[in-house]
Amino acid sequence: MQLDKPSCWSEHGALQTVLVCSPSEQSIPSLQVAENVQWSAPVQQKKALENFHTFILTLQQEGIHTIDYSLHLDAVTQRLSEQLINRFFVRDLACVFGNKIFPGVAGSFMRRPEYDQVHDLLDKWFPDAFIKEAKQGLKALEYGDVLILNSDAIFINIGMRTSLESVEQMMENLFQAGFSEIGVISLPRRADTLHLDMNCNVANEDLVVAKSYMRFLPVHLTNAEGIQWYDMAEQFLNRHGFSVYWLEKYETIPDINFLNIDPETILISKQAHKQMLQSHPKLKHKRFLEIDVSELEKAGGGIRCMTLPLLRKRSI
């Protein structure tokens, strides 16, 4: 398989290559089972697979190279992978920072197998870019808790699935990758605030969409020189060129967990309140691609959660 070198310096540059994974072979048969595995409702595997095929076809029609990692596992690993119900949430597993790929560490024991499976593939595909040693000693670091704001700044949440100790350990690696400032916030520890990308998202090169309560939370900042200080979330984002569209009403997953295809295009769930987003002057001329991922969203994540960007065009 021919692969370009990984590169990612933002959340909004034109997406060129993305890692994905099809849903597992298993349905979730009842509400009781769904609640026990922390899903919101029963899921029919056939419908979930139909959602996934629509999702992948849409990405490919936009000229994006999609890599379904489940197709590249050996037979023994594949048999286990097919039973891992959360495997299509690939965002958490690793992240491309600049031209380096850093592995994540699962904050939930049930997700550990898929992390190891994907890390083995990334190490094989990108031996010069995948920094496997970076996860040594990490306790929990899931990349749904990370936004690459631009080539200077990274925004990270410490919460249910990402530990402060792990973020502090990773900082020097991120500075060495080329970033100059890291902002750390701590969100409430609830199901609807599980990851940072369930609370805010980059919607434009100069706009972040966020739940309104985040305006009351401080951010701890560290720069490449080791200087540390605090600021409020809005001031931190403003300083890096972003205004904030504060949402007072929202549906957590469909409204916030969208994916930037390129600077003009956003891939969004059909369940989202598109008109609410389009009402912002910086978004009214955006092209919104709507797809039905409602069966997949029952697992507790959205479109951004289902994608791990490997290559985005860097803005000049």
Side-chain angles (χ1 to χ4, degrees), residues 259-288:
L259 179 72
N260 290 284
I261 298 295
D262 57 46
E264 291 77 41
T265 310
I266 292 177
L267 185 63
I268 196 166
S269 168
K270 277 193 174 179
Q271 307 299 313
H273 297 87
K274 185 178 68 171
Q275 294 79 6
M276 174 185 66
L277 295 174
Q278 288 178 317
S279 67
H280 192 282
K282 291 184 178 180
L283 300 180
K284 65 180 180 180
H285 297 302
K286 285 273 190 179
R287 175 172 167 246
F288 285 86

PDB file of all heavy atoms in Angstrom, residues 259-288:
ATOM      1  N   LEU A 259     -16.743  17.137  11.057  1.00  0.00           N
ATOM      2  CA  LEU A 259     -15.406  17.004  10.475  1.00  0.00           C
ATOM      3  C   LEU A 259     -15.207  18.020   9.370  1.00  0.00           C
ATOM      4  O   LEU A 259     -16.026  18.131   8.453  1.00  0.00           O
ATOM      5  CB  LEU A 259     -15.215  15.597   9.909  1.00  0.00           C
ATOM      6  CG  LEU A 259     -13.872  15.308   9.238  1.00  0.00           C
ATOM      7  CD1 LEU A 259     -12.756  15.207  10.278  1.00  0.00           C
ATOM      8  CD2 LEU A 259     -13.943  14.032   8.408  1.00  0.00           C
ATOM      9  N   ASN A 260     -14.107  18.759   9.423  1.00  0.00           N
ATOM     10  CA  ASN A 260     -13.752  19.670   8.340  1.00  0.00           C
ATOM     11  C   ASN A 260     -13.148  18.874   7.185  1.00  0.00           C
ATOM     12  O   ASN A 260     -12.129  18.193   7.356  1.00  0.00           O
ATOM     13  CB  ASN A 260     -12.734  20.702   8.828  1.00  0.00           C
ATOM     14  CG  ASN A 260     -13.337  21.686   9.809  1.00  0.00           C
ATOM     15  OD1 ASN A 260     -14.065  22.592   9.420  1.00  0.00           O
ATOM     16  ND2 ASN A 260     -13.042  21.508  11.084  1.00  0.00           N
ATOM     17  N   ILE A 261     -13.789  18.958   6.023  1.00  0.00           N
ATOM     18  CA  ILE A 261     -13.274  18.311   4.821  1.00  0.00           C
ATOM     19  C   ILE A 261     -12.208  19.194   4.174  1.00  0.00           C
ATOM     20  O   ILE A 261     -11.160  18.724   3.728  1.00  0.00           O
ATOM     21  CB  ILE A 261     -14.410  18.037   3.816  1.00  0.00           C
ATOM     22  CG1 ILE A 261     -15.444  17.087   4.431  1.00  0.00           C
ATOM     23  CG2 ILE A 261     -13.868  17.490   2.502  1.00  0.00           C
ATOM     24  CD1 ILE A 261     -14.912  15.706   4.728  1.00  0.00           C
ATOM     25  N   ASP A 262     -12.483  20.473   4.104  1.00  0.00           N
ATOM     26  CA  ASP A 262     -11.547  21.477   3.598  1.00  0.00           C
ATOM     27  C   ASP A 262     -12.023  22.824   4.139  1.00  0.00           C
ATOM     28  O   ASP A 262     -13.032  22.881   4.851  1.00  0.00           O
ATOM     29  CB  ASP A 262     -11.470  21.451   2.057  1.00  0.00           C
ATOM     30  CG  ASP A 262     -12.818  21.651   1.388  1.00  0.00           C
ATOM     31  OD1 ASP A 262     -13.570  22.565   1.805  1.00  0.00           O
ATOM     32  OD2 ASP A 262     -13.133  20.910   0.439  1.00  0.00           O
ATOM     33  N   PRO A 263     -11.336  23.914   3.847  1.00  0.00           N
ATOM     34  CA  PRO A 263     -11.736  25.206   4.428  1.00  0.00           C
ATOM     35  C   PRO A 263     -13.142  25.662   4.065  1.00  0.00           C
ATOM     36  O   PRO A 263     -13.696  26.540   4.738  1.00  0.00           O
ATOM     37  CB  PRO A 263     -10.680  26.175   3.871  1.00  0.00           C
ATOM     38  CG  PRO A 263      -9.475  25.331   3.664  1.00  0.00           C
ATOM     39  CD  PRO A 263     -10.006  24.012   3.184  1.00  0.00           C
ATOM     40  N   GLU A 264     -13.747  25.080   3.030  1.00  0.00           N
ATOM     41  CA  GLU A 264     -15.096  25.483   2.619  1.00  0.00           C
ATOM     42  C   GLU A 264     -16.173  24.461   2.970  1.00  0.00           C
ATOM     43  O   GLU A 264     -17.366  24.744   2.818  1.00  0.00           O
ATOM     44  CB  GLU A 264     -15.144  25.722   1.100  1.00  0.00           C
ATOM     45  CG  GLU A 264     -14.386  26.942   0.601  1.00  0.00           C
ATOM     46  CD  GLU A 264     -12.895  26.714   0.549  1.00  0.00           C
ATOM     47  OE1 GLU A 264     -12.485  25.603   0.141  1.00  0.00           O
ATOM     48  OE2 GLU A 264     -12.142  27.623   0.916  1.00  0.00           O
ATOM     49  N   THR A 265     -15.786  23.266   3.419  1.00  0.00           N
ATOM     50  CA  THR A 265     -16.724  22.152   3.522  1.00  0.00           C
ATOM     51  C   THR A 265     -16.660  21.469   4.876  1.00  0.00           C
ATOM     52  O   THR A 265     -15.570  21.146   5.366  1.00  0.00           O
ATOM     53  CB  THR A 265     -16.433  21.107   2.424  1.00  0.00           C
ATOM     54  OG1 THR A 265     -16.344  21.755   1.158  1.00  0.00           O
ATOM     55  CG2 THR A 265     -17.532  20.055   2.377  1.00  0.00           C
ATOM     56  N   ILE A 266     -17.841  21.233   5.465  1.00  0.00           N
ATOM     57  CA  ILE A 266     -17.952  20.510   6.726  1.00  0.00           C
ATOM     58  C   ILE A 266     -18.834  19.286   6.515  1.00  0.00           C
ATOM     59  O   ILE A 266     -19.926  19.386   5.945  1.00  0.00           O
ATOM     60  CB  ILE A 266     -18.543  21.399   7.835  1.00  0.00           C
ATOM     61  CG1 ILE A 266     -17.551  22.511   8.216  1.00  0.00           C
ATOM     62  CG2 ILE A 266     -18.898  20.577   9.063  1.00  0.00           C
ATOM     63  CD1 ILE A 266     -18.082  23.481   9.250  1.00  0.00           C
ATOM     64  N   LEU A 267     -18.364  18.131   6.987  1.00  0.00           N
ATOM     65  CA  LEU A 267     -19.166  16.908   6.973  1.00  0.00           C
ATOM     66  C   LEU A 267     -19.888  16.813   8.304  1.00  0.00           C
ATOM     67  O   LEU A 267     -19.255  16.840   9.366  1.00  0.00           O
ATOM     68  CB  LEU A 267     -18.270  15.689   6.753  1.00  0.00           C
ATOM     69  CG  LEU A 267     -18.978  14.336   6.601  1.00  0.00           C
ATOM     70  CD1 LEU A 267     -19.869  14.317   5.365  1.00  0.00           C
ATOM     71  CD2 LEU A 267     -17.958  13.208   6.547  1.00  0.00           C
ATOM     72  N   ILE A 268     -21.214  16.691   8.245  1.00  0.00           N
ATOM     73  CA  ILE A 268     -22.015  16.815   9.459  1.00  0.00           C
ATOM     74  C   ILE A 268     -23.148  15.797   9.449  1.00  0.00           C
ATOM     75  O   ILE A 268     -23.604  15.341   8.394  1.00  0.00           O
ATOM     76  CB  ILE A 268     -22.569  18.256   9.572  1.00  0.00           C
ATOM     77  CG1 ILE A 268     -23.064  18.564  10.980  1.00  0.00           C
ATOM     78  CG2 ILE A 268     -23.662  18.518   8.550  1.00  0.00           C
ATOM     79  CD1 ILE A 268     -23.304  20.039  11.235  1.00  0.00           C
ATOM     80  N   SER A 269     -23.592  15.420  10.621  1.00  0.00           N
ATOM     81  CA  SER A 269     -24.689  14.471  10.765  1.00  0.00           C
ATOM     82  C   SER A 269     -26.016  15.082  10.333  1.00  0.00           C
ATOM     83  O   SER A 269     -26.266  16.273  10.527  1.00  0.00           O
ATOM     84  CB  SER A 269     -24.798  14.042  12.232  1.00  0.00           C
ATOM     85  OG  SER A 269     -25.996  13.338  12.483  1.00  0.00           O
ATOM     86  N   LYS A 270     -26.876  14.254   9.759  1.00  0.00           N
ATOM     87  CA  LYS A 270     -28.228  14.705   9.420  1.00  0.00           C
ATOM     88  C   LYS A 270     -29.035  15.067  10.657  1.00  0.00           C
ATOM     89  O   LYS A 270     -30.054  15.756  10.564  1.00  0.00           O
ATOM     90  CB  LYS A 270     -28.965  13.623   8.621  1.00  0.00           C
ATOM     91  CG  LYS A 270     -28.655  13.632   7.137  1.00  0.00           C
ATOM     92  CD  LYS A 270     -29.626  12.767   6.367  1.00  0.00           C
ATOM     93  CE  LYS A 270     -29.390  12.915   4.861  1.00  0.00           C
ATOM     94  NZ  LYS A 270     -30.316  12.052   4.081  1.00  0.00           N
ATOM     95  N   GLN A 271     -28.590  14.600  11.820  1.00  0.00           N
ATOM     96  CA  GLN A 271     -29.286  14.911  13.067  1.00  0.00           C
ATOM     97  C   GLN A 271     -28.908  16.295  13.610  1.00  0.00           C
ATOM     98  O   GLN A 271     -29.518  16.771  14.559  1.00  0.00           O
ATOM     99  CB  GLN A 271     -28.944  13.849  14.131  1.00  0.00           C
ATOM    100  CG  GLN A 271     -29.169  12.412  13.695  1.00  0.00           C
ATOM    101  CD  GLN A 271     -30.611  12.137  13.344  1.00  0.00           C
ATOM    102  OE1 GLN A 271     -31.518  12.501  14.080  1.00  0.00           O
ATOM    103  NE2 GLN A 271     -30.829  11.488  12.197  1.00  0.00           N
ATOM    104  N   ALA A 272     -27.910  16.915  13.013  1.00  0.00           N
ATOM    105  CA  ALA A 272     -27.435  18.208  13.513  1.00  0.00           C
ATOM    106  C   ALA A 272     -28.395  19.336  13.162  1.00  0.00           C
ATOM    107  O   ALA A 272     -29.146  19.266  12.188  1.00  0.00           O
ATOM    108  CB  ALA A 272     -26.054  18.505  12.931  1.00  0.00           C
ATOM    109  N   HIS A 273     -28.339  20.397  13.955  1.00  0.00           N
ATOM    110  CA  HIS A 273     -29.115  21.602  13.688  1.00  0.00           C
ATOM    111  C   HIS A 273     -28.289  22.497  12.754  1.00  0.00           C
ATOM    112  O   HIS A 273     -27.638  23.460  13.198  1.00  0.00           O
ATOM    113  CB  HIS A 273     -29.453  22.320  14.990  1.00  0.00           C
ATOM    114  CG  HIS A 273     -30.328  21.516  15.904  1.00  0.00           C
ATOM    115  ND1 HIS A 273     -29.826  20.605  16.812  1.00  0.00           N
ATOM    116  CD2 HIS A 273     -31.684  21.469  16.026  1.00  0.00           C
ATOM    117  CE1 HIS A 273     -30.832  20.043  17.469  1.00  0.00           C
ATOM    118  NE2 HIS A 273     -31.967  20.537  17.012  1.00  0.00           N
ATOM    119  N   LYS A 274     -28.289  22.159  11.478  1.00  0.00           N
ATOM    120  CA  LYS A 274     -27.456  22.845  10.504  1.00  0.00           C
ATOM    121  C   LYS A 274     -27.762  24.335  10.458  1.00  0.00           C
ATOM    122  O   LYS A 274     -26.855  25.170  10.340  1.00  0.00           O
ATOM    123  CB  LYS A 274     -27.659  22.218   9.122  1.00  0.00           C
ATOM    124  CG  LYS A 274     -26.746  22.784   8.052  1.00  0.00           C
ATOM    125  CD  LYS A 274     -26.954  22.102   6.702  1.00  0.00           C
ATOM    126  CE  LYS A 274     -28.320  22.434   6.118  1.00  0.00           C
ATOM    127  NZ  LYS A 274     -28.441  21.954   4.720  1.00  0.00           N
ATOM    128  N   GLN A 275     -29.046  24.693  10.576  1.00  0.00           N
ATOM    129  CA  GLN A 275     -29.419  26.108  10.486  1.00  0.00           C
ATOM    130  C   GLN A 275     -28.797  26.917  11.618  1.00  0.00           C
ATOM    131  O   GLN A 275     -28.439  28.081  11.439  1.00  0.00           O
ATOM    132  CB  GLN A 275     -30.946  26.254  10.507  1.00  0.00           C
ATOM    133  CG  GLN A 275     -31.657  25.674   9.297  1.00  0.00           C
ATOM    134  CD  GLN A 275     -31.821  24.163   9.364  1.00  0.00           C
ATOM    135  OE1 GLN A 275     -31.502  23.542  10.385  1.00  0.00           O
ATOM    136  NE2 GLN A 275     -32.324  23.573   8.287  1.00  0.00           N
ATOM    137  N   MET A 276     -28.646  26.296  12.783  1.00  0.00           N
ATOM    138  CA  MET A 276     -28.026  26.984  13.915  1.00  0.00           C
ATOM    139  C   MET A 276     -26.574  27.332  13.592  1.00  0.00           C
ATOM    140  O   MET A 276     -26.109  28.442  13.859  1.00  0.00           O
ATOM    141  CB  MET A 276     -28.094  26.093  15.152  1.00  0.00           C
ATOM    142  CG  MET A 276     -27.352  26.647  16.366  1.00  0.00           C
ATOM    143  SD  MET A 276     -27.345  25.476  17.746  1.00  0.00           S
ATOM    144  CE  MET A 276     -26.336  24.153  17.075  1.00  0.00           C
ATOM    145  N   LEU A 277     -25.862  26.392  12.985  1.00  0.00           N
ATOM    146  CA  LEU A 277     -24.479  26.652  12.619  1.00  0.00           C
ATOM    147  C   LEU A 277     -24.398  27.676  11.493  1.00  0.00           C
ATOM    148  O   LEU A 277     -23.573  28.592  11.525  1.00  0.00           O
ATOM    149  CB  LEU A 277     -23.796  25.351  12.212  1.00  0.00           C
ATOM    150  CG  LEU A 277     -23.644  24.315  13.330  1.00  0.00           C
ATOM    151  CD1 LEU A 277     -23.073  23.011  12.771  1.00  0.00           C
ATOM    152  CD2 LEU A 277     -22.764  24.828  14.450  1.00  0.00           C
ATOM    153  N   GLN A 278     -25.275  27.539  10.515  1.00  0.00           N
ATOM    154  CA  GLN A 278     -25.250  28.456   9.376  1.00  0.00           C
ATOM    155  C   GLN A 278     -25.643  29.876   9.752  1.00  0.00           C
ATOM    156  O   GLN A 278     -25.371  30.815   9.001  1.00  0.00           O
ATOM    157  CB  GLN A 278     -26.169  27.946   8.269  1.00  0.00           C
ATOM    158  CG  GLN A 278     -25.625  26.729   7.549  1.00  0.00           C
ATOM    159  CD  GLN A 278     -26.591  26.217   6.490  1.00  0.00           C
ATOM    160  OE1 GLN A 278     -27.800  26.149   6.717  1.00  0.00           O
ATOM    161  NE2 GLN A 278     -26.064  25.855   5.326  1.00  0.00           N
ATOM    162  N   SER A 279     -26.251  30.060  10.910  1.00  0.00           N
ATOM    163  CA  SER A 279     -26.653  31.400  11.319  1.00  0.00           C
ATOM    164  C   SER A 279     -25.461  32.270  11.702  1.00  0.00           C
ATOM    165  O   SER A 279     -25.574  33.489  11.773  1.00  0.00           O
ATOM    166  CB  SER A 279     -27.635  31.329  12.498  1.00  0.00           C
ATOM    167  OG  SER A 279     -26.995  30.830  13.666  1.00  0.00           O
ATOM    168  N   HIS A 280     -24.299  31.644  11.942  1.00  0.00           N
ATOM    169  CA  HIS A 280     -23.115  32.442  12.244  1.00  0.00           C
ATOM    170  C   HIS A 280     -22.554  33.000  10.942  1.00  0.00           C
ATOM    171  O   HIS A 280     -22.425  32.280   9.946  1.00  0.00           O
ATOM    172  CB  HIS A 280     -22.058  31.591  12.941  1.00  0.00           C
ATOM    173  CG  HIS A 280     -20.947  32.405  13.537  1.00  0.00           C
ATOM    174  ND1 HIS A 280     -19.920  32.925  12.770  1.00  0.00           N
ATOM    175  CD2 HIS A 280     -20.716  32.811  14.813  1.00  0.00           C
ATOM    176  CE1 HIS A 280     -19.104  33.606  13.549  1.00  0.00           C
ATOM    177  NE2 HIS A 280     -19.553  33.557  14.796  1.00  0.00           N
ATOM    178  N   PRO A 281     -22.217  34.280  10.909  1.00  0.00           N
ATOM    179  CA  PRO A 281     -21.764  34.905   9.654  1.00  0.00           C
ATOM    180  C   PRO A 281     -20.537  34.225   9.029  1.00  0.00           C
ATOM    181  O   PRO A 281     -20.386  34.243   7.803  1.00  0.00           O
ATOM    182  CB  PRO A 281     -21.474  36.353  10.040  1.00  0.00           C
ATOM    183  CG  PRO A 281     -21.428  36.377  11.528  1.00  0.00           C
ATOM    184  CD  PRO A 281     -22.308  35.273  12.000  1.00  0.00           C
ATOM    185  N   LYS A 282     -19.678  33.635   9.830  1.00  0.00           N
ATOM    186  CA  LYS A 282     -18.490  32.982   9.277  1.00  0.00           C
ATOM    187  C   LYS A 282     -18.786  31.592   8.723  1.00  0.00           C
ATOM    188  O   LYS A 282     -17.920  30.974   8.092  1.00  0.00           O
ATOM    189  CB  LYS A 282     -17.387  32.897  10.337  1.00  0.00           C
ATOM    190  CG  LYS A 282     -16.794  34.254  10.694  1.00  0.00           C
ATOM    191  CD  LYS A 282     -15.646  34.133  11.674  1.00  0.00           C
ATOM    192  CE  LYS A 282     -15.049  35.506  11.963  1.00  0.00           C
ATOM    193  NZ  LYS A 282     -13.918  35.443  12.917  1.00  0.00           N
ATOM    194  N   LEU A 283     -20.015  31.114   8.946  1.00  0.00           N
ATOM    195  CA  LEU A 283     -20.377  29.777   8.482  1.00  0.00           C
ATOM    196  C   LEU A 283     -21.496  29.780   7.443  1.00  0.00           C
ATOM    197  O   LEU A 283     -21.785  28.739   6.855  1.00  0.00           O
ATOM    198  CB  LEU A 283     -20.802  28.904   9.675  1.00  0.00           C
ATOM    199  CG  LEU A 283     -19.748  28.681  10.768  1.00  0.00           C
ATOM    200  CD1 LEU A 283     -20.327  27.808  11.877  1.00  0.00           C
ATOM    201  CD2 LEU A 283     -18.484  28.063  10.205  1.00  0.00           C
ATOM    202  N   LYS A 284     -22.106  30.941   7.207  1.00  0.00           N
ATOM    203  CA  LYS A 284     -23.294  30.966   6.355  1.00  0.00           C
ATOM    204  C   LYS A 284     -22.996  30.586   4.910  1.00  0.00           C
ATOM    205  O   LYS A 284     -23.902  30.142   4.187  1.00  0.00           O
ATOM    206  CB  LYS A 284     -23.975  32.326   6.432  1.00  0.00           C
ATOM    207  CG  LYS A 284     -23.172  33.486   5.876  1.00  0.00           C
ATOM    208  CD  LYS A 284     -23.962  34.783   6.017  1.00  0.00           C
ATOM    209  CE  LYS A 284     -23.194  35.979   5.462  1.00  0.00           C
ATOM    210  NZ  LYS A 284     -23.968  37.235   5.596  1.00  0.00           N
ATOM    211  N   HIS A 285     -21.745  30.738   4.473  1.00  0.00           N
ATOM    212  CA  HIS A 285     -21.404  30.376   3.107  1.00  0.00           C
ATOM    213  C   HIS A 285     -20.691  29.026   3.022  1.00  0.00           C
ATOM    214  O   HIS A 285     -20.252  28.628   1.944  1.00  0.00           O
ATOM    215  CB  HIS A 285     -20.525  31.463   2.471  1.00  0.00           C
ATOM    216  CG  HIS A 285     -21.212  32.790   2.358  1.00  0.00           C
ATOM    217  ND1 HIS A 285     -22.401  32.958   1.668  1.00  0.00           N
ATOM    218  CD2 HIS A 285     -20.882  34.015   2.870  1.00  0.00           C
ATOM    219  CE1 HIS A 285     -22.774  34.225   1.746  1.00  0.00           C
ATOM    220  NE2 HIS A 285     -21.875  34.885   2.468  1.00  0.00           N
ATOM    221  N   LYS A 286     -20.587  28.339   4.141  1.00  0.00           N
ATOM    222  CA  LYS A 286     -19.970  27.022   4.150  1.00  0.00           C
ATOM    223  C   LYS A 286     -20.830  26.011   3.396  1.00  0.00           C
ATOM    224  O   LYS A 286     -22.060  26.122   3.338  1.00  0.00           O
ATOM    225  CB  LYS A 286     -19.782  26.529   5.583  1.00  0.00           C
ATOM    226  CG  LYS A 286     -18.642  27.176   6.344  1.00  0.00           C
ATOM    227  CD  LYS A 286     -17.336  26.447   6.103  1.00  0.00           C
ATOM    228  CE  LYS A 286     -16.270  26.970   7.060  1.00  0.00           C
ATOM    229  NZ  LYS A 286     -14.986  26.277   6.888  1.00  0.00           N
ATOM    230  N   ARG A 287     -20.178  25.025   2.853  1.00  0.00           N
ATOM    231  CA  ARG A 287     -20.874  23.890   2.238  1.00  0.00           C
ATOM    232  C   ARG A 287     -20.982  22.794   3.291  1.00  0.00           C
ATOM    233  O   ARG A 287     -19.984  22.264   3.763  1.00  0.00           O
ATOM    234  CB  ARG A 287     -20.069  23.403   1.033  1.00  0.00           C
ATOM    235  CG  ARG A 287     -20.577  22.166   0.343  1.00  0.00           C
ATOM    236  CD  ARG A 287     -19.772  21.948  -0.941  1.00  0.00           C
ATOM    237  NE  ARG A 287     -19.983  20.644  -1.506  1.00  0.00           N
ATOM    238  CZ  ARG A 287     -19.051  19.697  -1.590  1.00  0.00           C
ATOM    239  NH1 ARG A 287     -17.818  19.939  -1.128  1.00  0.00           N
ATOM    240  NH2 ARG A 287     -19.314  18.533  -2.134  1.00  0.00           N
ATOM    241  N   PHE A 288     -22.213  22.469   3.679  1.00  0.00           N
ATOM    242  CA  PHE A 288     -22.447  21.435   4.685  1.00  0.00           C
ATOM    243  C   PHE A 288     -22.889  20.152   3.980  1.00  0.00           C
ATOM    244  O   PHE A 288     -23.938  20.132   3.321  1.00  0.00           O
ATOM    245  CB  PHE A 288     -23.511  21.876   5.691  1.00  0.00           C
ATOM    246  CG  PHE A 288     -23.022  22.893   6.687  1.00  0.00           C
ATOM    247  CD1 PHE A 288     -23.042  24.252   6.375  1.00  0.00           C
ATOM    248  CD2 PHE A 288     -22.535  22.509   7.919  1.00  0.00           C
ATOM    249  CE1 PHE A 288     -22.593  25.195   7.283  1.00  0.00           C
ATOM    250  CE2 PHE A 288     -22.081  23.447   8.832  1.00  0.00           C
ATOM    251  CZ  PHE A 288     -22.111  24.797   8.516  1.00  0.00           C
TER     252      PHE A 288
END
